[in-house]
Amino acid sequence: MEWLGALFQNGPDIIRAASETGLGIVALCCLVIGCAGVVYLARTRTSHPWIGFAIFVMLVLGSLGLSVVALYTGARRPLALGSATAIAFKTPYYNEQTHTYRLLDATVTNVGDKLWRELQERPDGNAEYYHIVKAIEPDRMLFVRRPPADGSTDSTELIVDVSRSLLCYRDSPGTATLQCPYALVSIH
């Protein structure tokens, strides 16, 4: 039943998107004809069976057409980084014994109140950091590292760049050079 609720909540947006495409206009016409046919069938006591079948086909074609338009419109919608809950990325790991690199999984997870937890699972011990959201732009999110409990300062910034599919960091806001060893995998 969630899909039905989502359909009614996003109905005006779907109709607006459908009216901008040829497939959407055909789908809307099929739905209107199908709904008018249902009203006709409800008012008449007897009708030909082919009329009922034609109305059913119109309703199915209209619904499928609107579904395709809704999916296409949803795919074109820009990603809202402010509503993200987890960011998965790959981090390089250099093994000194074998002199090889390999990519390890890592995540930055929203733990609430603008606080995010970065966890890099490594064979030689996990790395865990906490970041606070500093700024959110349309295709970038900027984090600043939360100060440690011992009172020392850590001004490292983490930048999520969706347009280039990278996670970068810099030692302080005044540093002009970004270091980008991380590859963005997904944003949930």
Side-chain angles (χ1 to χ4, degrees):
M1 295 308 287
E2 292 177 18
W3 66 271
L4 192 59
L7 181 65
F8 285 119
Q9 289 174 355
N10 299 319
D13 294 331
I14 293 171
I15 292 171
R16 187 177 311 113
S19 66
E20 295 173 359
T21 63
L23 175 64
I25 292 172
V26 170
L28 287 173
C29 290
C30 287
L31 277 179
V32 168
I33 292 170
C35 291
V38 168
V39 170
Y40 168 75
L41 288 177
R43 298 199 56 132
T44 58
R45 294 208 177 253
T46 59
S47 65
H48 200 277
W50 286 106
I51 294 175
F53 179 72
I55 290 170
F56 172 74
V57 168
M58 288 292 183
L59 288 173
V60 168
L61 288 177
S63 335
L64 288 176
L66 278 184
S67 299
V68 169
V69 169
L71 287 174
Y72 179 71
T73 303
R76 288 189 319 180
R77 190 177 331 148
L79 177 67
L81 282 175
S83 62
T85 57
I87 301 169
F89 62 97
K90 296 284 188 180
T91 179
Y93 175 74
Y94 180 70
N95 188 336
E96 292 190 17
Q97 283 92 14
T98 61
H99 302 290
T100 58
Y101 281 97
R102 69 180 211 213
L103 293 174
L104 301 176
D105 293 325
T107 58
V108 182
T109 308
N110 187 350
V111 293
D113 197 28
K114 291 191 174 186
L115 184 65
W116 292 67
R117 176 180 173 248
E118 177 184 350
L119 179 65
Q120 297 180 14
E121 297 180 5
R122 300 175 167 271
D124 58 353
N126 295 345
E128 182 177 33
Y129 307 101
Y130 285 90
H131 303 281
I132 299 170
V133 175
K134 186 175 179 182
I136 299 174
E137 298 172 6
D139 61 346
R140 296 179 83 185
M141 185 182 276
L142 177 64
F143 298 98
V144 64
R145 193 164 289 165
R146 184 176 76 174
D150 62 2
S152 63
T153 59
D154 187 355
S155 58
T156 304
E157 290 186 339
L158 183 70
I159 296 110
V160 178
D161 191 340
V162 176
S163 63
R164 296 186 315 167
S165 298
L166 291 173
L167 259 77
C168 304
Y169 73 92
R170 60 182 167 201
D171 296 328
S172 68
T175 306
T177 306
L178 288 176
Q179 298 181 21
C180 302
Y182 310 127
L184 183 63
V185 174
S186 67
I187 298 175
H188 303 282

